[in-house]
Amino acid sequence: ENEKKLLEWQNSWEKAVAPLGLDVNSVPAHANALMEDLKGLFDKLKEANILQKRIDGIDRDASVFSSMVSNLVTDVARDLTGYPAEKAAMEMNLRLKETRTAYSKIQTLENQINKENLRIRQSARTITEIEVFLDTMCEEAGCKDYKDLSEAENRSLKRRELESELKALETQLLKLSVGASIEDFVKESLTVEPDSIQSELKNLSEKIDLLIKEKSHLDQTIGSERTELSKMDGSARAAALAEETQAILGGLEENIEDYASFRMAATILNQAIERFRDKNQSPVLQKASSFFSRLTSGSFEGIRAEFNDSGNPVIAGIRKNGKEIVSVSAMSEGTADQLFLSFRLAGLEEYLDKNAPIPFIVDDILIKFDDIRAKATLMALAGLSKKTQIIFFTHHRHLVNLAEKHIDPSILAIHTLNA
């Protein structure tokens, strides 16, 4: 029976190990070892299947990736056609990064542009408001263009300064006019010769001094008389004073007659002296007198020799009426210059009458002359130019204009020197 079971077992064992390539004589250890090897092999096959599936997935992904890259190249980068997918993808990725960076910059620049456009619009509104304001100012200032506003502002400032100065002068004139209106005071002032002001001031100052002394003397006299009046009581003292007063009056009558005689004699003597001077004055003085009358436009009749308080001979100007004598010290600075120039011109004319002509050169001698006297002087020089060459230097354009206007062009030559 045991043999039977062994035989059965051997048959079963043979069948069991046959698939493994073992014979019936193989021991279980061989079978177990083979089974372990098969198990390891199956595990490897299983891993290989898993890896194959992953490879197949990678291949599919690679195929899809290649297809997507190809489509993307076709859409956005045709120049990469034919490139390997990996290289094309890297290039497009690089371009994408560059594009994003550029896009970010574009957005930043667009934001800046928007801000600048906003500032431009705000500036345009401000400019419009300023232009409206400037147009209003131009209309008020009477300017054609706002560029002239600066000059208008300067004129306005100058006008305010002049108005302030005018107001101050009007206040001063009101004080000087002593109650008269400014118009009447100005009209009266225009009748006064400027060259006689210094002389008149000197006379008035002397009169004021005399009046002050006379007032002081009268104050003393009044005080003395009041003292005497206080002593008078109707007695013989009053009669004595009355008698003394009559004696003084009698003496005054005799003195007045002597004073009148002396004054008449002095007047006759002065007239005789003046006739003698007019008759015997030198040719230079005569010519200087004629020039002085011309240079002052007839404000003075001429000049003549006089004697000062010390008895020394001096030159004085004669007014039109021939009665007013103006000393050099009483003349204005401009008139004194005209007196000096008259003697220069008279001396030149006297020289030219006896000698060969020489050029006469002068440099800005009319600075202190008004236009009327400047014109008269230029005409006098034009007259002398018939006898000799006159060279006149000046840097005042209005004197050139006066010469061009009043002197014969045939004898006038103007040369402008460059700076």
Side-chain angles (χ1 to χ4, degrees), residues 80-122:
L80 299 178
T81 302
Y83 278 61
E86 294 80 2
K87 187 174 181 180
M90 290 178 62
E91 180 65 23
M92 286 190 290
N93 185 52
L94 179 62
R95 293 183 183 182
L96 177 61
K97 291 180 180 179
E98 292 176 351
T99 302
R100 286 175 176 171
T101 302
Y103 181 73
S104 178
K105 291 182 179 179
I106 289 173
Q107 285 186 320
T108 302
L109 292 174
E110 286 179 349
N111 291 334
Q112 292 179 355
I113 290 172
N114 292 333
K115 290 180 180 178
E116 293 301 322
N117 287 334
L118 178 60
R119 288 180 58 188
I120 290 171
R121 289 193 295 271
Q122 292 174 344

Side-chain angles (χ1 to χ4, degrees), residues 316-332:
I318 309 171
R319 288 291 186 191
K320 289 182 179 180
N321 52 24
K323 297 179 181 180
E324 184 180 356
I325 306 300
V326 181
S327 64
V328 176
S329 61
M331 294 179 181
S332 67

